[in-house]
Amino acid sequence: MRAAADEPAAQLVARTAERLIRLWAERGELHHPGWGRPFRQLGELLPAPDVEFAVHNPQMVPLLWYPALRRDTPHGTVVEVFDHLPADVGPPLPRRQELSRIYSWAPVTRTALDWIADRLAGRGLLEVGAGSGYWAARLRARGVDVLATDAEARTELNGWTDRFRWTDVRPGRAADDAAAHPDRVLALIWPPHRDPMARHALRAHRGDHLLYLGDRPGGLCADDAFFAELAAHWRPVARCPLTLRWLGNHDALTHYVRR
Protein backbone atom coordinates (compact mmCIF):
# COMPACT_ATOMS: atom_id res chain seq x y z
CA MET A 1 0.00 0.00 0.00
CA ARG A 2 1.24 3.49 -0.69
CA ALA A 3 1.67 5.17 2.68
CA ALA A 4 2.47 8.84 3.03
CA ALA A 5 6.20 9.52 2.99
CA ASP A 6 6.25 10.36 6.70
CA GLU A 7 4.04 7.46 7.82
CA PRO A 8 5.14 3.81 7.77
CA ALA A 9 2.67 1.40 6.17
CA ALA A 10 2.03 -0.45 9.45
CA GLN A 11 1.04 2.79 11.14
CA LEU A 12 -1.27 3.68 8.26
CA VAL A 13 -3.03 0.31 8.54
CA ALA A 14 -3.37 0.66 12.32
CA ARG A 15 -4.73 4.20 12.04
CA THR A 16 -7.18 3.17 9.33
CA ALA A 17 -8.41 0.26 11.46
CA GLU A 18 -8.96 2.55 14.44
CA ARG A 19 -11.03 4.94 12.35
CA LEU A 20 -13.04 2.07 10.86
CA ILE A 21 -13.76 0.67 14.33
CA ARG A 22 -15.15 4.04 15.34
CA LEU A 23 -17.14 4.21 12.10
CA TRP A 24 -18.88 0.89 12.79
CA ALA A 25 -19.53 1.86 16.39
CA GLU A 26 -21.38 4.93 15.13
CA ARG A 27 -23.27 3.41 12.19
CA GLY A 28 -23.51 -0.36 12.56
CA GLU A 29 -24.09 -0.74 8.84
CA LEU A 30 -23.45 1.31 5.72
CA HIS A 31 -25.75 1.99 2.80
CA HIS A 32 -24.10 2.75 -0.52
CA PRO A 33 -25.96 4.21 -3.53
CA GLY A 34 -26.64 1.55 -6.13
CA TRP A 35 -26.49 -1.43 -3.74
CA GLY A 36 -29.70 -2.95 -2.50
CA ARG A 37 -28.28 -4.37 0.69
CA PRO A 38 -26.45 -2.66 3.55
CA PHE A 39 -22.79 -3.40 4.13
CA ARG A 40 -21.57 -4.78 7.46
CA GLN A 41 -18.03 -5.07 8.74
CA LEU A 42 -16.33 -8.18 7.44
CA GLY A 43 -15.55 -9.49 10.91
CA GLU A 44 -19.29 -9.83 11.63
CA LEU A 45 -19.92 -11.88 8.49
CA LEU A 46 -17.19 -14.52 8.78
CA PRO A 47 -17.44 -17.73 10.83
CA ALA A 48 -15.79 -17.40 14.24
CA PRO A 49 -12.83 -19.71 13.37
CA ASP A 50 -12.00 -17.51 10.39
CA VAL A 51 -12.07 -14.37 12.53
CA GLU A 52 -9.81 -16.03 15.12
CA PHE A 53 -7.42 -17.10 12.35
CA ALA A 54 -7.45 -13.63 10.79
CA VAL A 55 -5.89 -12.12 13.90
CA HIS A 56 -2.73 -14.11 13.09
CA ASN A 57 -2.99 -13.62 9.31
CA PRO A 58 -1.44 -10.26 8.35
CA GLN A 59 -3.38 -10.08 5.09
CA MET A 60 -6.69 -10.26 6.95
CA VAL A 61 -6.00 -8.00 9.95
CA PRO A 62 -6.88 -4.72 8.19
CA LEU A 63 -9.78 -6.33 6.30
CA LEU A 64 -11.79 -7.32 9.37
CA TRP A 65 -13.35 -3.84 9.48
CA TYR A 66 -13.83 -3.40 5.73
CA PRO A 67 -17.42 -3.15 4.43
CA ALA A 68 -18.70 -6.49 3.17
CA LEU A 69 -21.76 -8.33 1.90
CA ARG A 70 -22.72 -11.94 2.60
CA ARG A 71 -25.03 -14.31 0.76
CA ASP A 72 -25.68 -18.02 0.97
CA THR A 73 -25.73 -20.05 -2.25
CA PRO A 74 -26.21 -23.75 -3.10
CA HIS A 75 -22.40 -24.00 -3.26
CA GLY A 76 -21.78 -22.36 0.11
CA THR A 77 -21.37 -18.92 1.64
CA VAL A 78 -20.02 -16.02 -0.41
CA VAL A 79 -18.62 -12.96 1.39
CA GLU A 80 -17.57 -10.04 -0.77
CA VAL A 81 -15.31 -7.25 0.50
CA PHE A 82 -15.66 -3.63 -0.62
CA ASP A 83 -12.28 -1.93 -0.90
CA HIS A 84 -13.19 1.75 -0.67
CA LEU A 85 -15.61 4.16 0.94
CA PRO A 86 -17.12 7.41 -0.31
CA ALA A 87 -15.02 10.35 0.84
CA ASP A 88 -17.72 11.62 3.19
CA VAL A 89 -18.26 8.25 4.89
CA GLY A 90 -14.94 7.11 6.30
CA PRO A 91 -11.17 6.97 5.97
CA PRO A 92 -9.39 6.09 2.72
CA LEU A 93 -8.69 2.35 2.64
CA PRO A 94 -5.71 0.44 1.26
CA ARG A 95 -7.12 -0.84 -2.04
CA ARG A 96 -7.40 -4.36 -3.41
CA GLN A 97 -4.59 -3.88 -5.93
CA GLU A 98 -2.22 -2.61 -3.25
CA LEU A 99 -2.98 -5.38 -0.76
CA SER A 100 -2.90 -8.06 -3.46
CA ARG A 101 0.61 -7.12 -4.52
CA ILE A 102 1.84 -7.44 -0.92
CA TYR A 103 0.02 -10.67 -0.06
CA SER A 104 -1.95 -12.50 -2.76
CA TRP A 105 -4.75 -11.88 -5.23
CA ALA A 106 -7.17 -13.97 -3.17
CA PRO A 107 -7.72 -13.53 0.59
CA VAL A 108 -6.65 -16.51 2.71
CA THR A 109 -9.12 -17.94 5.22
CA ARG A 110 -8.86 -20.77 7.73
CA THR A 111 -11.85 -22.42 6.05
CA ALA A 112 -9.99 -22.50 2.73
CA LEU A 113 -6.78 -23.86 4.27
CA ASP A 114 -8.65 -26.59 6.16
CA TRP A 115 -10.65 -27.47 3.06
CA ILE A 116 -7.51 -27.75 0.92
CA ALA A 117 -5.82 -29.95 3.51
CA ASP A 118 -8.90 -32.18 3.59
CA ARG A 119 -9.09 -32.45 -0.22
CA LEU A 120 -5.38 -33.30 -0.45
CA ALA A 121 -5.84 -36.27 1.89
CA GLY A 122 -2.12 -36.45 2.57
CA ARG A 123 -0.96 -35.77 -0.98
CA GLY A 124 1.62 -33.09 -1.68
CA LEU A 125 0.72 -29.86 -3.44
CA LEU A 126 2.50 -28.15 -6.33
CA GLU A 127 1.67 -24.45 -6.67
CA VAL A 128 2.99 -22.95 -9.89
CA GLY A 129 2.96 -19.19 -10.37
CA ALA A 130 3.20 -18.88 -6.58
CA GLY A 131 4.26 -15.21 -6.64
CA SER A 132 5.18 -13.97 -3.17
CA GLY A 133 4.35 -17.38 -1.71
CA TYR A 134 1.67 -16.12 0.67
CA TRP A 135 -0.74 -19.02 0.10
CA ALA A 136 2.17 -21.48 0.25
CA ALA A 137 3.32 -19.97 3.54
CA ARG A 138 -0.10 -20.25 5.14
CA LEU A 139 -0.55 -23.81 3.83
CA ARG A 140 2.86 -24.85 5.14
CA ALA A 141 1.94 -23.42 8.53
CA ARG A 142 -1.19 -25.59 8.32
CA GLY A 143 1.02 -28.65 7.81
CA VAL A 144 0.57 -29.10 4.06
CA ASP A 145 3.53 -30.32 1.98
CA VAL A 146 3.80 -27.54 -0.63
CA LEU A 147 6.28 -27.15 -3.45
CA ALA A 148 5.95 -23.54 -4.65
CA THR A 149 7.53 -22.34 -7.90
CA ASP A 150 7.43 -19.23 -10.04
CA ALA A 151 9.14 -18.22 -13.25
CA GLU A 152 10.17 -14.99 -11.54
CA ALA A 153 10.88 -16.34 -8.08
CA ARG A 154 13.10 -13.36 -7.29
CA THR A 155 10.17 -11.17 -6.28
CA GLU A 156 11.92 -7.92 -7.19
CA LEU A 157 11.46 -9.05 -10.81
CA ASN A 158 7.88 -10.26 -10.39
CA GLY A 159 5.41 -7.77 -11.77
CA TRP A 160 2.55 -9.32 -9.77
CA THR A 161 4.10 -8.77 -6.34
CA ASP A 162 5.58 -5.84 -4.44
CA ARG A 163 9.02 -7.12 -3.36
CA PHE A 164 7.63 -9.35 -0.61
CA ARG A 165 8.39 -13.06 -0.23
CA TRP A 166 6.60 -14.93 2.55
CA THR A 167 8.23 -18.33 2.12
CA ASP A 168 10.58 -20.21 -0.17
CA VAL A 169 9.47 -20.04 -3.80
CA ARG A 170 11.73 -21.88 -6.22
CA PRO A 171 12.44 -20.59 -9.73
CA GLY A 172 10.90 -22.74 -12.44
CA ARG A 173 8.71 -22.86 -15.52
CA ALA A 174 5.10 -23.82 -14.78
CA ALA A 175 4.79 -26.44 -17.51
CA ASP A 176 8.11 -28.09 -16.66
CA ASP A 177 7.28 -28.21 -12.96
CA ALA A 178 3.80 -29.58 -13.60
CA ALA A 179 5.23 -32.32 -15.83
CA ALA A 180 7.91 -33.21 -13.27
CA HIS A 181 5.52 -33.72 -10.35
CA PRO A 182 2.54 -35.88 -11.39
CA ASP A 183 2.40 -37.23 -7.83
CA ARG A 184 1.41 -33.83 -6.47
CA VAL A 185 -1.93 -32.07 -6.74
CA LEU A 186 -1.55 -29.10 -9.08
CA ALA A 187 -2.63 -25.75 -7.64
CA LEU A 188 -3.37 -22.70 -9.76
CA ILE A 189 -4.21 -19.68 -7.61
CA TRP A 190 -5.19 -16.60 -9.58
CA PRO A 191 -3.11 -17.45 -12.68
CA PRO A 192 -2.26 -14.31 -14.67
CA HIS A 193 -4.90 -12.87 -16.98
CA ARG A 194 -4.56 -13.48 -20.74
CA ASP A 195 -1.43 -15.50 -20.13
CA PRO A 196 -0.86 -19.07 -21.37
CA MET A 197 0.90 -20.15 -18.16
CA ALA A 198 -2.13 -21.88 -16.62
CA ARG A 199 -3.00 -23.65 -19.88
CA HIS A 200 0.56 -24.90 -20.36
CA ALA A 201 0.77 -26.15 -16.78
CA LEU A 202 -2.59 -27.94 -17.00
CA ARG A 203 -1.69 -29.65 -20.28
CA ALA A 204 1.71 -30.74 -18.96
CA HIS A 205 0.36 -32.12 -15.67
CA ARG A 206 -0.09 -35.90 -15.64
CA GLY A 207 -1.69 -36.13 -12.23
CA ASP A 208 -5.42 -36.54 -11.63
CA HIS A 209 -6.16 -33.65 -9.28
CA LEU A 210 -6.29 -29.87 -9.67
CA LEU A 211 -7.11 -27.11 -7.18
CA TYR A 212 -8.13 -23.97 -9.03
CA LEU A 213 -8.72 -20.67 -7.25
CA GLY A 214 -9.61 -17.98 -9.73
CA ASP A 215 -12.15 -16.22 -11.85
CA ARG A 216 -14.57 -17.88 -14.24
CA PRO A 217 -14.25 -17.94 -18.06
CA GLY A 218 -14.13 -14.43 -19.48
CA GLY A 219 -12.94 -13.07 -16.13
CA LEU A 220 -9.59 -11.91 -14.83
CA CYS A 221 -7.63 -15.17 -14.77
CA ALA A 222 -5.83 -17.29 -17.38
CA ASP A 223 -7.01 -17.37 -21.02
CA ASP A 224 -9.88 -18.86 -23.01
CA ALA A 225 -7.79 -21.89 -24.02
CA PHE A 226 -7.23 -22.77 -20.36
CA PHE A 227 -10.96 -22.90 -19.67
CA ALA A 228 -11.53 -24.94 -22.84
CA GLU A 229 -8.91 -27.43 -21.61
CA LEU A 230 -10.51 -27.47 -18.17
CA ALA A 231 -14.00 -28.14 -19.56
CA ALA A 232 -12.82 -30.85 -21.95
CA HIS A 233 -10.65 -32.91 -19.61
CA TRP A 234 -11.56 -32.08 -16.01
CA ARG A 235 -14.69 -32.17 -13.90
CA PRO A 236 -15.42 -30.31 -10.65
CA VAL A 237 -16.01 -32.52 -7.62
CA ALA A 238 -16.08 -30.05 -4.72
CA ARG A 239 -16.08 -26.34 -3.97
CA CYS A 240 -14.81 -24.66 -0.81
CA PRO A 241 -17.83 -23.91 1.43
CA LEU A 242 -16.68 -20.33 2.06
CA THR A 243 -15.73 -17.95 -0.75
CA LEU A 244 -14.13 -14.72 0.44
CA ARG A 245 -13.46 -12.39 -2.45
CA TRP A 246 -13.29 -8.76 -3.45
CA LEU A 247 -16.60 -7.26 -4.50
CA GLY A 248 -16.91 -7.35 -8.27
CA ASN A 249 -14.81 -10.49 -8.72
CA HIS A 250 -16.24 -13.95 -9.32
CA ASP A 251 -13.46 -16.25 -8.13
CA ALA A 252 -14.01 -19.50 -6.28
CA LEU A 253 -11.87 -22.39 -4.99
CA THR A 254 -12.71 -25.66 -6.72
CA HIS A 255 -11.31 -29.20 -6.70
CA TYR A 256 -11.21 -30.85 -10.14
CA VAL A 257 -10.36 -34.42 -11.12
CA ARG A 258 -9.38 -35.66 -14.53
CA ARG A 259 -12.24 -37.04 -16.63
Side-chain angles (χ1 to χ4, degrees):
M1 64 204 75
R2 303 294 181 256
D6 59 347
E7 183 176 24
Q11 292 182 15
L12 174 63
V13 169
R15 184 169 59 86
T16 301
E18 290 173 359
R19 295 177 65 183
L20 283 171
I21 292 170
R22 291 197 299 269
L23 174 69
W24 291 114
E26 295 169 359
R27 300 205 178 192
E29 61 184 29
L30 298 175
H31 295 264
H32 194 281
W35 296 94
R37 292 178 292 155
F39 290 87
R40 303 295 300 270
Q41 60 177 315
L42 175 61
E44 292 186 358
L45 303 182
L46 291 176
D50 285 293
V51 175
E52 295 168 3
F53 168 78
V55 174
H56 305 286
N57 175 3
Q59 180 192 38
M60 287 295 298
V61 169
L63 297 186
L64 286 176
W65 295 279
Y66 274 48
L69 299 172
R70 171 177 168 147
R71 57 190 173 88
D72 295 321
T73 77
H75 298 290
T77 298
V78 177
V79 180
E80 298 174 302
V81 185
F82 195 46
D83 71 349
H84 64 281
L85 293 169
D88 60 339
V89 171
L93 306 178
R95 302 294 293 272
R96 174 182 66 88
Q97 293 265 0
E98 297 165 334
L99 292 171
S100 296
R101 290 175 62 84
I102 294 173
Y103 300 104
S104 68
W105 291 80
V108 179
T109 65
R110 178 176 176 175
T111 294
L113 298 178
D114 289 348
W115 184 84
I116 289 173
D118 182 65
R119 301 308 301 180
L120 290 174
R123 293 181 289 262
L125 189 71
L126 169 67
E127 183 191 357
V128 297
S132 70
Y134 194 75
W135 272 86
R138 301 272 73 83
L139 284 164
R140 284 170 176 164
R142 173 61 177 74
V144 174
D145 172 17
V146 183
L147 173 59
T149 72
D150 196 287
E152 297 176 342
R154 291 180 298 167
T155 56
E156 66 269 17
L157 301 179
N158 193 326
W160 301 99
T161 66
D162 201 9
R163 302 181 302 279
F164 282 83
R165 182 186 297 171
W166 297 97
T167 189
D168 178 57
V169 178
R170 300 182 186 178
R173 294 182 65 251
D176 293 344
D177 296 333
H181 297 281
D183 56 318
R184 290 179 175 267
V185 175
L186 178 64
L188 292 166
I189 299 177
W190 267 83
H193 188 210
R194 298 175 180 172
D195 190 294
M197 182 275 282
R199 167 174 33 109
H200 291 165
L202 192 60
R203 287 180 176 175
H205 186 52
R206 293 294 175 261
D208 295 326
H209 296 270
L210 166 70
L211 291 175
Y212 172 65
L213 172 51
D215 214 340
R216 60 193 181 186
L220 300 174
C221 295
D223 58 13
D224 292 341
F226 166 77
F227 291 104
E229 181 82 11
L230 192 63
H233 301 293
W234 299 80
R235 62 182 178 87
V237 293
R239 179 178 290 182
C240 183
L242 172 65
T243 296
L244 177 61
R245 63 192 182 199
W246 294 101
L247 188 65
N249 291 345
H250 300 280
D251 48 316
L253 174 56
T254 306
H255 180 193
Y256 290 85
V257 297
R258 192 181 296 277
R259 291 186 183 277

